[in-house]
């Protein structure tokens, strides 16, 4: 029984093999990590159903192993079991560049263990990416301005811009819209927004001039950049401004409006908040009226996105964020790298106070081991001396009361007991001619 318990305890300490590979028919994969710890883009709360932009290039993805059109792409969660919804904005096998949109169910705060995998390398696989696959049901529209014609169509392919759209092939993510002062317009219903009394919108801009540039106009709602600050107006009554917008630099601008509050975000960080009600959003949605530069990734949702959601989305879309890390893996390499088990995961995520407790427990363990070893040695020496003394004691005859004059047994409790008895007998002069008879007194 004791051996069985020891074996069970040792088995619990051994590394447990992680899910090494989703499907052997796919020969390559790229591991995508969203680092929300202090070494990445730190967040304090979890974000759900985040639309994450994934850039693939020759440094993190084997385009030669993938199909020419990228139809063998699959996105699998960290458990290497659960498929994730995704769509492809760009797949350029010749120039080895691709952009995917992945809907991540949960991004946990304060960890570098948020990861998923992009698989490729199966010539027999059919296409699985769908239109709008990387976005949740609350996303009304996501305009990528991608390579696909016609440019400026939303993620579901339902909304198309009116007029001619100028495209810059090398934009923030893939292609971007070129702003020339004339508005880019879409006919977008506001019914879902009005029913939910909630709106979150965001857009990336790279402005040539930040003195006075129109960003968005939708009914009574307008977003502008004036004097390098983001400014929101609601029915020309309430006004809210804040943040720094720099000319010639890609910056995400976002607004969250609902439940009587309006919040502005610049580059994923909150910069202003105030009281405001959702205005009427009838008419056309206009982008970039009076602005010159580039615009990309306009997203509109009928829900109040959390600050963490906005931060993670901005971090994944931006080119300079510390949030996203990617690593190309082959089947054999992944199996070896992930064979670390639960103990390795726990050790890597220990906090300072946890280390203090572990050090204290380690010191106590060393002391306990020292006590056990010393006691074991003491008992061993005592047993050895007891055996030697008992042998002499049993063989003694006339010298029974004089065994102290022979070999000593310093570690024998029986010998010390014998010495005490001899001293008591000596007090009573046992063995001498004039000795009194022994009594219990």
């Amino acid at each position: 029984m004791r051996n069985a318990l020891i074996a069970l305890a040792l088995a619990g300490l051994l590394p447990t093999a992680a899910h090494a590979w989703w499907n052997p028919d796919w020969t390559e994969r790229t591991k995508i990590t969203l680092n929300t710890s202090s070494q990445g883009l730190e967040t304090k709360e979890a974000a759900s159903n985040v639309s994450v932009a994934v850039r693939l290039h020759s440094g993190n993805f084997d385009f030669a192993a993938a199909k020419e059109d990228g139809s063998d792409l699959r996105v699998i969660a960290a458990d290497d079991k659960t498929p994730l919804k995704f769509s492809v904005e760009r797949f350029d096998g010749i120039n080895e560049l691709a952009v995917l949109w992945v809907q991540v169910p949960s991004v946990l705060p304060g960890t570098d263990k948020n990861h998923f995998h992009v698989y490729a390398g199966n010539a027999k696989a059919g296409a699985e990416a769908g239109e709008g696959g990387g976005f949740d049901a609350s996303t009304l529209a996501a305009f990528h301005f991608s390579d696909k014609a016609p440019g400026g169509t939303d993620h579901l392919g339902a909304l198309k811009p009116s007029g001619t759209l100028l495209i810059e092939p090398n934009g923030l993510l893939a292609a971007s819209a070129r702003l020339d002062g004339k508005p880019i317009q879409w006919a977008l219903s506001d019914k879902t927004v009005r029913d939910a009394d909630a709106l979150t919108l965001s857009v990336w801009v790279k402005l040539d001039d930040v003195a006075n540039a129109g960003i968005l106009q939708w009914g009574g709602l307008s977003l502008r950049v004036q004097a390098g600050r983001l400014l929101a107006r609601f029915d020309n009554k309430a006004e809210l401004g804040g943040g720094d917008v720099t000319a010639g630099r890609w910056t995400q601008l976002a607004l969250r409006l609902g439940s009587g509050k309006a919040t502005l975000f610049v580059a994923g960080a909150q910069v202003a908040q105030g009281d405001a009600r959702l205005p009427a959003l009838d008419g056309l949605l206009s982008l970039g009226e009076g602005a010159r530069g580039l615009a990309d990734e306009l997203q509109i949702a009928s829900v109040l996105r959390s600050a963490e959601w906005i931060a993670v989305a901005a971090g994944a879309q931006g080119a300079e964020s510390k949030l996203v890390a990617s690593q190309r893996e082959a089947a054999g390499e992944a199996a070896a790298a992930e064979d670390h088990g639960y103990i390795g995961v726990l050790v890597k995520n220990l906090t300072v106070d946890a280390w203090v407790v572990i050090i204290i427990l380690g010191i106590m363990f060393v002391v306990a081991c020292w006590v056990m070893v010393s006691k074991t040695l003491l008992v061993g020496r005592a047993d050895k001396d007891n055996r030697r003394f008992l042998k002499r004691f049993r063989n003694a005859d006339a010298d029974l009361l004089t065994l102290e004059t022979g070999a000593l047994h310093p570690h024998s409790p029986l010998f010390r007991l014998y010495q005490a008895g001899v001293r008591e007998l000596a007090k009573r002069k046992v063995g001498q001619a004039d000795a009194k008879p022994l009594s219990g007194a």
Side-chain angles (χ1 to χ4, degrees), residues 74-334:
R74 300 291 187 271
V75 182
I76 309 298
D79 62 0
D80 263 319
K81 294 181 179 180
T82 308
L84 300 182
K85 296 180 180 179
F86 73 102
S87 58
V88 180
E89 179 178 345
R90 166 182 284 184
F91 191 89
D92 184 352
I94 297 176
N95 295 308
E96 298 191 338
L97 295 171
V99 176
L100 279 60
W101 289 92
V102 180
Q103 184 178 335
V104 181
S106 179
V107 180
L108 299 179
T111 179
D112 61 353
K113 296 298 181 293
N114 297 300
H115 66 266
F116 55 89
H117 300 101
V118 179
Y119 280 84
N122 185 354
K124 299 179 180 179
E128 188 174 275
E131 294 292 339
F135 299 86
D136 62 7
S138 298
T139 303
L140 296 181
F143 302 97
H144 303 316
F145 309 105
S146 65
D147 306 337
K148 300 178 181 179
T153 304
D154 76 319
H155 68 299
L156 297 176
L159 300 174
K160 298 177 176 61
S162 60
T164 303
L165 180 66
L166 302 177
I167 294 295
E168 169 59 45
N170 300 312
L172 173 67
L173 290 160
S176 296
R178 183 167 291 281
L179 305 177
D180 61 354
K182 299 177 182 179
I184 304 170
Q185 296 181 322
W186 298 266
L188 180 61
S189 172
D190 66 342
K191 182 180 184 305
T192 306
V193 175
R194 285 188 285 105
D195 291 345
D197 189 28
L199 171 67
T200 302
L201 55 84
S202 62
V203 63
W204 285 83
V205 293
K206 184 179 180 181
L207 301 174
D208 297 338
D209 187 358
V210 295
N212 188 15
I215 304 300
L216 287 173
Q217 182 72 47
W218 191 12
L221 171 64
S222 71
L223 281 179
R224 304 185 64 83
V225 172
Q226 288 187 345
R229 296 174 68 249
L230 178 60
L231 185 66
R233 289 195 179 97
F234 314 96
D235 284 331
N236 291 320
K237 297 177 182 178
E239 185 175 291
L240 185 66
D244 296 321
V245 182
T246 305
R249 181 176 181 178
W250 280 109
T251 307
Q252 191 207 48
L253 310 177
L255 167 68
R256 185 177 64 195
L257 178 60
S259 301
K261 290 288 184 181
T263 308
L264 293 178
F265 299 83
V266 173
Q270 179 176 325
V271 295
Q273 187 176 63
D275 296 332
R277 295 193 174 276
L278 188 69
L281 302 176
D282 52 352
L284 297 174
L285 171 66
S286 298
L287 169 67
E289 184 173 7
R292 295 186 177 276
L294 299 174
D296 201 355
E297 202 50 42
L298 169 60
Q299 295 185 10
I300 303 171
S302 59
V303 68
L304 297 178
R305 302 291 194 192
S306 67
E308 284 73 19
W309 197 104
I310 295 173
V312 171
Q317 296 166 24
E320 301 176 0
S321 173
K322 297 180 180 179
L323 173 69
V324 181
S326 57
Q327 180 182 0
R328 175 181 165 185
E329 296 178 334
E333 298 171 353

Side-chain angles (χ1 to χ4, degrees), residues 382-391 412-415:
D383 181 67
K384 186 176 180 180
D385 277 6
N386 277 341
R387 292 176 184 274
R388 291 175 178 173
F389 170 71
L390 284 174
K391 184 178 179 180
S412 172
L414 293 179
F415 182 67

Side-chain angles (χ1 to χ4, degrees), residues 358-372:
I358 289 174
I359 291 172
I360 294 174
L361 292 176
I363 295 173
M364 294 174 65
F365 175 75
V366 171
V367 172
C369 289
W370 177 79
V371 171
M372 288 189 294

